[in-house]
Amino acid sequence: MANVEVSMKEMMAGVEGSLGAAVVDYTSGMALGTLGGGKDLDLTVAAAGNTDVIRAKMRTMEQLGLKSRIDDILITLERQYHLIRLVAGRNGNGLFLYLVLDKDRSNLAMARHQLKRVEEQLEV
């Protein structure tokens, strides 16, 4: 089992082109931890904003009567991928993993695989 700090390091190290990572509580919008980022990528602001994305999608699924759970959400920008993976299970209820990737240097399939692996090992 991995804690928040170890999980963020594994997210960043496991995927070439990683620019930033966070573990976020989407019930409050607060990042439990961030790694990377910079002046052009404020991970605290991004964590809060992506909380709204998750809440909106969950409301929509409820209105549609969908009983499935969200695995991940991908936001594709001109130069970046923003990948959000909801943490399943009793240890991660209300959390998501957030990874920002350089679009030209990263492999999206590998990033999704890495986030799944990190999710399975995360212990909060």
Side-chain angles (χ1 to χ4, degrees):
M1 294 293 168
N3 65 22
V4 170
E5 184 178 339
V6 170
S7 294
M8 289 184 305
K9 288 178 181 176
E10 288 180 8
M11 288 165 50
M12 292 284 289
V15 182
E16 185 176 341
S18 295
L19 302 174
V23 176
V24 184
D25 177 346
Y26 67 79
T27 58
S28 68
M30 299 294 294
L32 302 180
T34 63
L35 184 63
K39 69 178 182 84
D40 294 331
L41 178 59
D42 185 331
L43 291 169
T44 304
V45 172
N50 284 312
T51 294
D52 292 335
V53 171
I54 291 170
R55 290 177 183 162
K57 185 59 186 173
M58 293 175 107
R59 272 193 313 274
T60 302
M61 289 176 62
E62 184 178 322
Q63 291 169 349
L64 293 171
L66 298 175
K67 302 296 181 201
S68 185
R69 76 175 191 92
I70 299 169
D71 284 334
D72 58 40
I73 297 170
L74 171 65
I75 300 168
T76 305
L77 304 178
E78 184 178 344
R79 297 176 194 257
Q80 296 174 345
Y81 292 123
H82 290 235
L83 190 55
I84 300 165
R85 180 161 186 99
L86 275 70
V87 178
R90 61 182 172 81
N91 288 332
N93 194 23
L95 301 180
F96 69 90
L97 305 177
Y98 176 56
L99 183 63
V100 180
L101 304 164
D102 181 304
K103 195 173 175 181
D104 293 332
R105 297 183 318 136
S106 61
N107 179 317
L108 187 55
M110 290 301 295
R112 291 182 73 215
H113 177 74
Q114 180 71 0
L115 285 185
K116 182 179 181 194
R117 192 177 71 70
V118 168
E119 174 206 358
E120 291 168 351
Q121 296 177 0
L122 178 66
E123 186 174 292
V124 181

